[in-house]
């Protein structure tokens, strides 16, 4: 028997989004709403996490499999028809049978947080409650289930908007859709739910009266953070959630000493850490899991995704994905680091350079118009303008190796697999197909021919 389980309701479709994706996979700050909910739930370390899937089931399952940094093997419960929140929970019967207390969350309310969940669990267990509902008082309660309390301040019932009387509609306190239930009490109540309401659905919220009737307490845990109730039904709602989340992240970063002189176009995901005195310039997006050191200058117009960046790094108009950049490196403008690149300390990468799946040793320089793919490059190497590692023969990819302090002349093609030894050089314009021993020069170039009086001869022919 598990002590705690979590069930996330994620079967809804969200027609108003007009998307091929199910609603719970719509992004807020580049992360699916379901991801936000799971991240918060998992911080409270439940023994089991079950996700109820329905609309877009395959996409949701694929997302769950792809979740990085999560140690959970999710239990999947399938709801084949949307018959309401109570019906959705019934599909997770096995999870209920296997736990003492269960946390139920909506997959489309991304701002539920760890503290709100643990506070509610405290109320729930200390009060030996059958159910504890997390509530909030939003600016506008329209559309939410209203909290009706008894004379002791406990929860009497939840009335949905569609079913509420004029008096009940005036209640400002609403059901966030997040609850702790005593699993056994919920299991007993679920088969008794009816769909005799305005929506014709099996409401999870009706379990509350049933649990009270069985003699158990129904408590309320009011959340300090009223954003926890916010969900999104439309693209405009989603934009509003993005706006909240974005401002909150920027505020947190600035409080930690990050300099953001102008917030225009600066969008930073919630799993990004940035050190103090780093400056973020306009039009910069940093997303996924990123760690950026201190005293860097990132932007303008950069996109950084799942990267680790050291201290004092400059990334000016750079696109960088799944890569590591060591301290003191200067990259840009207009260059790209594709996945699997490791850029050493004090490397200089200038304009229109692409690096892919390569290691670049410290103090190496590739200042202009160069492609370095599937390569292991030593320290202090100099790439002239326009060098290319030809890593692909149309069928297979091969690696290029370049030793320390090598000098790769302008417009060199290095046809992989090939190795240039330490301190070796290649002549400008050479296409190198054989390994170059250390300290030697490789030159592959026809001698320059001079044809004298060429212009005069041409003019004579014309006449
Ligand atoms: C629900 C609550 C309401 C609360 C509100 C908070 C009920 C009856 N009402 O209303 O009191 O104020 O949440 O946002 O529970 N889902 C399924 N299967 C279904 C129906 C829903 O998985 O058959 C999922 C949805 O994907 C969603 C969640 O359950 O993640 C909530 O469903 P939704 O239809 O949005 O409930 P509300 O009407 O908002
Ligand atoms: Ca909803």
């Amino acid at each position: 028997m598990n002590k705690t389980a979590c069930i996330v309701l994620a079967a809804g479709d969200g027609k108003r989004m007009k998307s091929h994706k199910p609603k719970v996979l719509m992004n807020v700050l580049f992360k699916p709403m379901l991801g936000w909910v799971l991240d918060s739930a998992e911080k409270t370390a439940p023994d089991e996490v079950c996700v109820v899937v329905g609309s877009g089931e395959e996409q949701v399952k694929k997302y769950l499999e792809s979740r990085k940094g999560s140690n959970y093997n999710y239990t999947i419960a399938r709801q084949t028809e949307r018959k309401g929140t109570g019906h959705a929970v019934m599909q997770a019967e096995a999870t209920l049978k296997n736990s003492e207390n269960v946390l139920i969350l909506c997959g489309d309310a991304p701002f539920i947080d760890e503290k709100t969940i643990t506070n509610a669990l405290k109320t729930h267990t200390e009060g030996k409650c059958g159910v504890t509902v997390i509530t909030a008082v939003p600016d506008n309660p329209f559309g939410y289930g209203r909290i009706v309390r008894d004379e002791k301040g406990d929860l009497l019932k939840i009335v949905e908007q569609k079913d509420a009387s004029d008096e009940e509609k005036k209640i400002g306190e609403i059901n966030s859709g997040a609850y702790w239930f005593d699993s056994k009490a919920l299991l007993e109540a679920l088969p008794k739910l009816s769909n005799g309401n305005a929506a014709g659905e099996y409401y999870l919220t009706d379990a509350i009266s049933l649990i009270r009737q069985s003699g158990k307490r129904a408590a309320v845990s009011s959340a300090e953070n009223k954003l926890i109730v916010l969900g999104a039904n439309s693209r405009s709602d989603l934009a509003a959630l993005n706006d909240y989340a974005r401002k909150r992240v920027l505020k947190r970063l600035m409080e930690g000493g990050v300099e953001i002189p102008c917030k225009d176009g600066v969008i930073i995901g919630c799993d990004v850490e940035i050190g103090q005195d780093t400056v973020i310039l306009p039009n910069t997006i940093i997303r996924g899991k990123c760690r950026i050191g201190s005293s860097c200058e990132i932007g303008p117009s950069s996109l950084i995704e799942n990267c680790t960046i050291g201290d004092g790094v400059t990334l000016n108009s750079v696109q960088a994905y799944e890569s590591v950049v060591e301290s003191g490196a200067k990259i840009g403008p207009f260059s790209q680091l594709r996945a699997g690149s490791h850029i050493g300390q004090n490397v200089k990468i200038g304009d229109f350079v692409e690096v892919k799946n390569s290691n670049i040793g410290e103090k190496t320089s590739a200042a202009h118009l160069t492609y370095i793919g599937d390569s292991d490059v030593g320290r202090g190497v100099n790439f002239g303008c326009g060098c290319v590692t030809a890593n692909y023969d149309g069928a297979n990819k091969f690696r290029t190796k370049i030793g320390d302090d090598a000098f790769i002349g302008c417009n060199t093609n290095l046809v992989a697999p090939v190795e240039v030894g330490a301190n070796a050089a290649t002549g400008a314009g050479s296409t190198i197909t054989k390994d170059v021993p250390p300290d030697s020069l490789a030159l592959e170039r026809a001698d320059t021919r001079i044809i004298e009086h060429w212009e005069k001869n041409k003019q004579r022919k014309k006449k």
Side-chain angles (χ1 to χ4, degrees), residues 9 22 34 53 87 130 158 173 178 185 209 291 310 318 336 391 430-431 440 446 463:
L9 307 184
L34 178 59
V53 301
H87 181 258
I158 295 175
E173 187 180 21
S209 315
R291 221 172 53 233
V318 167
Q336 175 169 223
N391 57 329
S430 299
T431 293
S440 45
K463 280 174 200 159

Side-chain angles (χ1 to χ4, degrees), residues 58-123:
E58 291 310 317
Q59 292 179 66
V60 175
K61 281 195 210 156
K62 212 163 147 197
Y63 169 68
L64 292 174
E65 281 159 22
S66 76
R67 267 172 63 76
K68 287 182 192 147
S70 167
N71 302 317
Y72 283 89
N73 281 323
Y74 299 102
T75 307
I76 304 289
R78 294 180 66 223
Q79 188 192 27
T80 46
E81 277 179 284
R82 251 49 66 211
K83 292 183 178 173
T85 48
H87 181 258
V89 175
M90 278 184 220
Q91 314 311 307
E93 198 180 347
T95 300
L96 295 177
K97 282 185 174 156
N98 199 28
S99 59
E100 269 174 52
N101 287 300
V102 62
L103 168 70
I104 296 186
L105 299 173
C106 293
D108 63 350
F111 297 151
I112 186 76
D113 60 78
E114 180 189 0
K115 195 171 149 224
T116 302
I117 295 170
T118 47
N119 282 350
L121 179 60
K122 198 159 173 272
T123 304

Side-chain angles (χ1 to χ4, degrees), residues 8-13 23-24 52-54 79 81-89 105-109 143-146 158-161 174-179 201-206 229-231 233:
V8 181
L9 307 184
D13 40 30
K23 178 157 103 172
V24 294
V52 182
V53 301
Q79 188 192 27
E81 277 179 284
R82 251 49 66 211
K83 292 183 178 173
T85 48
H87 181 258
V89 175
L105 299 173
C106 293
D108 63 350
Y144 292 99
R146 304 301 204 286
I158 295 175
V159 188
E160 293 304 306
Q161 177 77 36
I174 61 97
N175 167 24
S176 69
Y179 328 72
E201 289 183 359
Y202 295 92
Y203 290 165
L204 176 62
T205 45
D206 286 349
V229 304
L230 293 183
N233 291 316

Side-chain angles (χ1 to χ4, degrees), residues 327-368:
S327 296
K330 286 197 167 26
I331 308 183
F334 316 119
S335 284
Q336 175 169 223
L337 304 182
R338 287 167 56 201
S341 299
H342 190 125
I343 310 298
Q345 278 184 32
N346 301 315
V347 163
K348 183 180 178 333
I349 288 177
D351 48 278
F352 305 103
V353 175
E354 176 178 329
V355 180
K356 185 212 91 177
N357 188 28
S358 293
N359 301 303
I360 312 282
E362 63 182 64
K363 289 196 180 151
T364 283
S365 164
H368 359 249

Side-chain angles (χ1 to χ4, degrees), residues 229-404:
V229 304
L230 293 183
N233 291 316
S234 65
R235 300 276 181 172
S236 316
D237 291 349
L238 215 50
L241 295 191
N242 269 284
D243 212 39
Y244 274 119
R246 174 174 169 259
K247 285 183 181 146
R248 214 165 44 169
V249 171
L250 296 186
K251 184 163 177 270
R252 163 175 67 80
L253 292 171
M254 288 189 282
E255 282 167 1
V258 177
E259 188 174 327
I260 306 175
C262 170
K263 289 185 259 184
D264 291 356
V266 175
I267 312 177
I268 302 181
C270 59
D271 302 318
V272 173
E273 289 166 40
I274 305 181
Q276 64 186 41
D277 293 320
T278 284
V279 183
I280 308 292
L281 295 171
N283 274 328
T284 291
I285 295 175
I286 308 176
R287 64 189 184 192
K289 292 228 184 304
C290 283
R291 221 172 53 233
I292 294 176
S294 55
S295 303
C296 295
E297 188 171 297
I298 313 291
S301 305
S302 293
L303 170 58
I304 318 294
E305 192 176 289
N306 296 321
C307 287
T308 303
I309 314 283
D311 299 330
V313 169
T314 303
L315 300 177
N316 172 12
S317 298
V318 167
Q319 309 254 319
Y321 306 89
E322 332 271 339
S323 289
V324 175
V325 180
E326 304 275 3
S327 296
K330 286 197 167 26
I331 308 183
F334 316 119
S335 284
Q336 175 169 223
L337 304 182
R338 287 167 56 201
S341 299
H342 190 125
I343 310 298
Q345 278 184 32
N346 301 315
V347 163
K348 183 180 178 333
I349 288 177
D351 48 278
F352 305 103
V353 175
E354 176 178 329
V355 180
K356 185 212 91 177
N357 188 28
S358 293
N359 301 303
I360 312 282
E362 63 182 64
K363 289 196 180 151
T364 283
S365 164
H368 359 249
L369 301 160
T370 286
Y371 172 62
I372 304 171
D374 301 314
S375 300
D376 300 298
V377 180
R379 307 163 169 199
V381 172
N382 186 78
F383 287 88
C385 181
C387 297
V388 173
T389 56
N391 57 329
Y392 183 53
D393 65 4
N396 295 300
K397 290 195 174 140
F398 301 97
R399 291 195 80 83
T400 299
K401 278 189 180 168
I402 302 176
D404 295 345

